């Protein structure tokens, strides 16, 4: 992931946040951004990709795919739900992540 200091805003900059495992609205928003057709479009994802919705894995795979396809135009930041999830995966959590979602 790129650091915040490397984000440069171009002619069309978009920000999305709080996806929370809801892949269909995420795909709908990405169609509006249209990174494939608009070479000036830049996207900053503000985190909270997981938790609550039924498709957290698909959301994470989509974020990874976007970063791989558009490394200079997509920045993905972590939100608090993503941090909680990573802590839970590392075993540094007392299962409070499971109680939050």
């Amino acid at each position: 992931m790129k650091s915040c200091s490397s984000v440069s805003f171009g002619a069309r900059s978009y920000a999305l946040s709080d996806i929370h495992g809801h892949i269909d609205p995420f795909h709908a928003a990405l169609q509006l951004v249209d990174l494939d057709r608009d070479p000036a479009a830049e996207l900053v994802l503000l985190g909270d990709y997981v938790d609550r919705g039924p498709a957290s894995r698909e959301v994470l795979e989509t974020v990874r795919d976007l970063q791989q396809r558009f490394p200079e135009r997509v920045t993905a930041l972590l939100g608090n739900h993503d941090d909680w999830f990573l802590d839970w995966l590392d075993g540094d959590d007392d299962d409070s992540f499971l109680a939050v979602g």
Side-chain angles (χ1 to χ4, degrees), residues 65-84:
D65 178 62
L66 288 168
Q67 285 193 298
Q68 289 174 345
R69 289 177 46 217
F70 307 102
E72 299 301 318
R73 298 192 292 138
V74 173
T75 301
L77 306 175
L78 293 178
N80 59 322
H81 288 256
D82 309 312
D83 280 335
W84 294 337

Side-chain angles (χ1 to χ4, degrees), residues 51-68:
D51 199 8
R52 299 191 183 139
S56 292
R57 177 181 175 166
E58 290 87 348
V59 168
L60 291 173
E61 289 171 345
T62 301
V63 170
R64 181 184 60 199
D65 178 62
L66 288 168
Q67 285 193 298
Q68 289 174 345

Side-chain angles (χ1 to χ4, degrees), residues 4-5 7 10-11 14 24 27 29-30 34 38 43 53 57 60 66-67 70-71 75-76 88 91 97 100:
C4 290
S5 62
V7 176
Y14 301 88
D24 292 335
H27 281 156
L30 291 174
D34 201 4
D38 186 353
L43 176 62
R57 177 181 175 166
L60 291 173
L66 288 168
Q67 285 193 298
F70 307 102
T75 301
W88 180 77
F97 171 76
V100 173

Side-chain angles (χ1 to χ4, degrees), residues 6-58:
S6 67
V7 176
S8 63
F9 293 101
R12 281 174 292 286
S13 297
Y14 301 88
L16 294 172
S17 68
D18 297 288
I19 300 160
H20 289 291
H22 295 282
I23 193 70
D24 292 335
F26 185 34
H27 281 156
L30 291 174
Q31 287 180 342
L32 295 174
V33 174
D34 201 4
L35 290 164
D36 287 315
R37 288 187 181 203
D38 186 353
E42 296 177 355
L43 176 62
V44 179
L45 299 167
L46 300 172
D48 287 352
Y49 311 111
V50 301
D51 199 8
R52 299 191 183 139
S56 292
R57 177 181 175 166
E58 290 87 348

